[in-house]
Structure formats: C-alpha cells, structure tokens
Amino acid sequence: MNFKYRAKTPTGEMVEGFAEADDKREALNSLRERGMVVVSLDAQSMTGGNGKFAWKKLLNMDLGAILGGGKVPGKNLMVFFRQLATMETAGLGLSTAINVIGDQEKNYALKKTLDNIKARIDRGTPLSQAMAAQRAFSPLVVSLVEAGEEGGMLGSALEQCATLLEKQESLKSKIRGAMFYPAFVMTFAIAVLIVFFVYLVPKFKEVFATLNIELPAVTQTMFALGDWFQEYWYLPVGAIFILVFSWRILSTNKLTMGIMDRIKLKLPVIKTLIMKSSMARSTRTFAALTSAGVPVMRGLEMAEGTAGNLAIKKGFADLRNGVERGVSLGDSAKQAGIFPVLVSQMMRIGEETGHLDSMLERVAGWYDQELDDQIKSTVSLLEPAMIIFVGGIIAIIAISIFAPITSSIMQMA
C-alpha cells in the first residue's frame, strides 16, 4: 500500500513524498526512524507497489482474523500488559513471558499477535518495534514501551500502559452507561407504540364500530394515526434510518467530520460530556508519555490522536505549533482557544515547577471526577423526564381506549 506523506526533516526542511508499507502505522514508524516529524500521512489506494490489488495478503489471512476483524478488546490488552509487567519485573525473559501469556490467551486476534511478537523478539527485535508491527497496539503504547526500553524501566512502562488502558476503558464505560438508560427507554416506548398501532388499534376500532357510539376526539385521532401508520409505516421508519445513517456518514466523512465535531461542541449537555471526556483522555495520555520520558512534541502528537474530536485535535495541533515557535505550553494552550483555563494554568505551573506529568495527571483526575458527577446528574434528570414521557404515552392510549368504553356503559345505563 502506498502512503503520501508530508513531513519535516531533521534539518527543518518540509518535504513530500510516498512511502510503501503494509499499513499506516508501519509507514509512520518507517518515516520516524528516518528522523522525520510527520505532518500528514494518507493512503493512496488499496494496491501494491506494482499497481495490482494485494490479493496475496488477503488470501493469507486466517478465517478467525477475518471473522473477528483483527481487533483486540482493550480489556484483553490491559490484562496482557499487567501480566507482562509482573513477569518482567520478576526477571522472566520477554520471549518466555509472552509465550506463557499467549498459551493461556483465549482471544484469537491477541493470541496470533503475541505469536508474531514472540517470533520477532526471538530474532532480536526490541519489544517496542515488535509491537509497532502489529495492528493491535496503538502508537501511544508503543511509545511508552519504547521510552521504557530506552530508560531501562520496561516493567514500569508496561504497568503504565496497563493503567492507561484501564482508565481509558473506564472512561468509555462511563459514557456508554450514560447513554444506555435513555436509549433503552426510547426503544421501549417506540416498541409499545408499534405494537399498539399495528395490533391493538384495528381490534379496538372493530369493537367500537359495532357499539355504534360517538367516539371522543382523542380516540378518533388515535384511530386516524393507526390507519396512517399501517399504510405509511415505512415513512417514519425510513426517516429514522435516514437520520441515523446521515449522522453517521457526516460524522465519519473527512469533508464533514470537522463541521459535525464543532456542532457537537455546541449542543447542550453533549458539549460538556465531549469536552470533559476528551480532556481527561488526552491530558492523561500526555502525562503518561511525559512521565515515561517521551519528548514533549511526540507526547503532544500522541495526545492529539486520543482527543476524539477534530476541533480539539486542531487545538492540540495549534499547541504543538506554539511550542515549536518557542512559546510555553501554558501560553500556547491559552492561545489555542479550545482548552479550558484549568488546563492552560496547570500546564504553566507544571512547566515552572518541573512537574508537568503530575500536574497533567491531576487535571485528568479532576475531569474524570467531573465527568462522573455530570453523568450521574444527567441520568438523575433523565429518569423523571423519561418516566413522564412514557407515562404520557400510556395515559393518552388509556384515555383514547377507555373513554368510549365508559361512554358506552353510561348510555346503556
């Protein structure tokens, strides 16, 4: 696969060119080994160097990798790093430790990844380079392991990787938990309406037609909606599908992703959830890399990759540009405009005291707590709102059905 890159050479010259590699990570690592600071890297096509589709690579893929997508869950990686850190600290060789972990690993993708890493280590490849050649490991953890190898603190670096992944998984779990309750209630309400309009409304309509009574307006409206839904059910279903599909496409398309990310940062409630989760994730990443001895520019680049929002990523890019010009981290963060005052102030204090990593870790911890509190308060507000919403639907249904029945009984009396 060919990748077009734009990078700055060790002499400061900006160059453009093409690099051939199996994937983007390998191309990025290849350019970095040449001392280049990569500015942009884009895949040109799904072809090999000779212009033919890489059928050989596709045919050589194992069935398990195809079915599983080759992805390794974050929890599995967290356990792997924790086990490897324990074994390395105990004095067990890396090859032996990875072999032991691989033998008991049940996840197919991770097991195959560990086999590949062991084979490379047995050939004399450092752990960080062996990991960089695998899709399962992000550049972030590779950088942490590489810094640990260079500083003679591999066990500590591996433990740091496990802790970082653990906190990232915890953050994802909090966000998923916040979205579960309203999604469940809305799904339940929609299911109730579908069952009511498709199965119950026609039966009640037949019963009331035999009673020969005047129906209340609410009942007539309900029957009219039932008739419309049975005939044009595909319109609301299609509208929901188009809305979800359009949001998905606009949020992932390179041309519109930036616009959608800026819109998300203006939506009530959503904007604070995105900002706090992004700040917690990126500042913790930057803190971990700084603590491991990774250069500031590389740390900022890795933190930018974990921001999760293009508007915030641009803020990190502006931050890196400011540092390149010789501006302090705190002032660059303030000039970027996207970072909260707390982040820029703590960066400034960290630089002045020489404890940037601990200051950033405090910022990440504070945003973690703030995010947790906001999720709890949001859910506590959503619960009564959802109850009122579902209760209102049930009340309207009950009134539309029981009002004619009551009227019929009164006429009979």
Side-chain angles (χ1 to χ4, degrees):
M1 181 182 291
N2 287 326
F3 294 88
K4 184 178 181 180
Y5 68 84
R6 186 168 178 264
K8 185 178 291 186
T9 64
T11 60
E13 180 184 1
M14 189 66 70
V15 296
E16 295 182 358
F18 293 89
E20 187 173 342
D22 289 338
D23 53 40
K24 192 170 184 177
R25 185 180 292 115
E26 184 178 330
L28 187 63
N29 290 331
S30 175
L31 293 170
R32 284 174 176 166
E33 287 175 0
R34 291 157 57 185
M36 294 185 176
V37 178
V38 179
V39 177
S40 63
L41 184 67
D42 299 305
Q44 293 302 293
S45 64
M46 290 295 292
T47 60
N50 57 0
K52 296 180 180 180
F53 187 82
W55 289 107
K56 183 177 180 181
K57 182 178 178 181
L58 179 62
L59 293 174
N60 286 337
M61 288 181 66
D62 293 318
L63 180 61
I66 295 174
L67 295 176
K71 294 182 180 180
V72 180
K75 290 183 179 179
N76 292 68
L77 288 177
M78 179 188 69
V79 173
F80 160 69
F81 279 114
R82 192 82 72 192
Q83 291 177 330
L84 187 60
T86 302
M87 294 181 184
E88 199 279 336
T89 304
L92 201 64
L94 283 176
S95 179
T96 304
I98 291 174
N99 187 52
V100 171
I101 297 172
D103 286 342
Q104 63 184 7
E105 181 57 50
K106 292 184 171 95
N107 182 274
Y108 176 85
L110 180 55
K111 187 177 182 65
K112 185 170 180 59
T113 297
L114 295 182
D115 290 341
N116 294 335
I117 291 176
K118 181 182 181 301
R120 289 174 180 267
I121 290 176
D122 290 342
R123 294 197 299 267
T125 305
L127 177 61
S128 59
Q129 293 182 22
M131 289 171 54
Q134 309 302 315
R135 293 178 55 192
F137 302 100
S138 67
L140 169 61
V141 296
V142 172
S143 297
L144 284 172
V145 173
E146 184 179 2
E149 288 176 327
E150 294 174 357
M153 299 181 297
L154 181 57
S156 176
L158 292 170
E159 189 67 36
Q160 205 168 19
C161 288
T163 302
L164 188 63
L165 289 171
E166 182 180 11
K167 291 180 178 178
Q168 287 181 348
E169 287 299 311
S170 175
L171 186 60
K172 291 178 184 178
S173 178
K174 289 178 184 177
I175 296 174
R176 285 195 296 264
M179 300 303 296
F180 174 78
Y181 180 78
F184 173 78
V185 172
M186 289 299 296
T187 302
F188 175 77
I190 291 172
V192 169
L193 288 175
I194 290 174
V195 170
F196 179 74
F197 282 122
V198 173
Y199 296 103
L200 298 180
V201 166
K203 296 183 183 301
F204 280 113
K205 190 175 181 181
E206 292 177 4
V207 171
F208 291 148
T210 60
L211 294 176
N212 195 24
I213 59 174
E214 185 178 353
L215 298 177
V218 64
T219 306
Q220 294 180 23
T221 303
M222 190 67 66
F223 286 165
L225 284 174
D227 293 339
W228 183 89
F229 188 82
Q230 289 184 34
E231 187 172 356
Y232 301 104
W233 61 268
Y234 53 86
L235 291 179
V237 173
I240 294 173
F241 176 80
I242 292 172
L243 183 62
V244 174
F245 183 75
S246 299
W247 181 272
R248 178 70 176 173
I249 293 297
L250 292 173
S251 297
T252 55
N253 187 277
K254 289 184 177 180
L255 297 176
T256 56
M257 190 187 300
I259 298 173
M260 295 300 293
D261 282 349
R262 285 193 292 271
I263 291 174
K264 292 174 186 176
L265 289 178
K266 294 181 180 179
L267 297 175
V269 181
I270 299 296
K271 64 180 180 181
T272 52
L273 286 173
I274 292 175
M275 179 60 72
K276 289 177 181 178
S277 63
S278 179
M279 287 296 109
R281 188 167 51 243
S282 55
T283 53
R284 176 168 287 112
T285 298
F286 191 25
L289 291 166
T290 305
S291 176
V294 176
V296 171
M297 292 301 294
R298 181 72 179 277
L300 287 172
E301 184 181 350
M302 294 295 102
E304 177 184 338
T306 62
N309 184 284
L310 283 183
I312 300 175
K313 284 185 178 182
K314 185 180 181 302
F316 271 101
D318 294 339
L319 181 56
R320 284 193 292 115
N321 292 334
V323 174
E324 281 184 337
R325 296 195 308 269
V327 182
S328 68
L329 267 174
D331 291 339
S332 297
K334 186 177 180 180
Q335 292 172 8
I338 192 71
F339 297 98
V341 176
L342 174 67
V343 176
S344 60
Q345 290 291 346
M346 294 298 273
M347 283 185 176
R348 179 180 290 109
I349 295 171
E351 280 184 304
E352 292 174 354
T353 60
H355 296 89
L356 180 60
D357 54 344
S358 61
M359 291 296 105
L360 290 171
E361 187 61 40
R362 288 185 183 182
V363 171
W366 186 84
Y367 276 114
D368 264 342
Q369 185 61 47
E370 282 289 300
L371 183 64
D372 198 26
D373 292 341
Q374 182 174 350
I375 288 174
K376 289 178 180 177
S377 62
T378 302
V379 171
S380 65
L381 290 174
L382 280 174
E383 285 181 357
M386 292 291 107
I387 291 173
I388 292 173
F389 173 73
V390 175
I393 292 176
I394 295 174
I396 293 173
I397 292 174
I399 292 172
S400 63
I401 297 302
F402 287 106
I405 295 176
T406 304
S407 176
S408 176
I409 293 173
M410 292 177 64
Q411 290 181 13
M412 292 174 61

